[in-house]
Amino acid sequence: HELFCGVPHEVAGGLYVAAPSFDLPEALAQDAPYIERAVGDSLRLRYAPTVFSPQAAQQDEAALFAAARAAGAEQLVAYRIAGARVRDAHETYRLTLERAVYDMDGNLLAATSRSALTGEMTPIETALYLFSQD
């Protein structure tokens, strides 16, 4: 898949990635670390240079932007992954991937939201599919 091959896109000044936030139902909660790793691996392969924030920095927005500036990044990207059970389908969930890109002054530069069902794919595959659409 093109997501996992090729030369990373150079991002002027670098990209700082906040630890993703999750809002998943209990049945999918155990997949969160695997989704986070898969999306992180994809970002490493897609963009250069990329710096990832530690989970603890996620708690304070000011500290997050300060860490991004200290890393020399020009953009900060934050992902939110949410899920909800589809009531009329057995063990099927709708996953939503939201992405927000900020400059170092905290101004929103871009935002996207995409969703897909897990009916034909695992939750991890669905998250990667959504990420590849971004």
Side-chain angles (χ1 to χ4, degrees):
H1 189 276
E2 67 182 20
L3 188 63
F4 294 109
C5 57
V7 177
H9 299 288
E10 290 290 326
V11 177
L15 186 66
Y16 193 84
V17 181
S21 65
F22 291 92
D23 182 13
L24 298 174
E26 187 176 329
L28 301 182
Q30 71 275 7
D31 289 336
Y34 303 106
I35 292 171
E36 181 175 4
R37 182 169 181 171
V39 168
D41 288 347
S42 299
L43 279 167
R44 278 185 197 89
L45 294 170
R46 190 182 242 189
Y47 301 107
T50 304
V51 177
F52 293 85
S53 75
Q55 189 71 30
Q58 185 78 1
Q59 306 305 321
D60 180 13
E61 187 176 295
L64 187 62
F65 278 98
R69 282 190 287 282
E74 289 191 17
Q75 296 179 355
L76 183 141
V77 64
Y79 287 94
R80 180 177 178 272
I81 301 166
R85 187 173 177 279
V86 176
R87 288 188 288 162
D88 59 349
H90 179 68
E91 294 300 317
T92 300
Y93 297 86
R94 174 167 299 283
L95 287 186
T96 302
L97 175 74
E98 297 172 353
R99 176 184 62 104
V101 181
Y102 301 92
D103 67 12
M104 289 299 95
D105 294 324
N107 298 312
L108 181 65
L109 300 175
T112 59
S113 178
R114 302 191 188 302
S115 67
L117 298 177
T118 63
E120 300 293 321
M121 299 179 281
T122 68
I124 297 167
E125 290 171 328
T126 304
L128 281 173
Y129 167 76
L130 292 170
F131 181 77
S132 72
Q133 303 300 306
D134 198 30

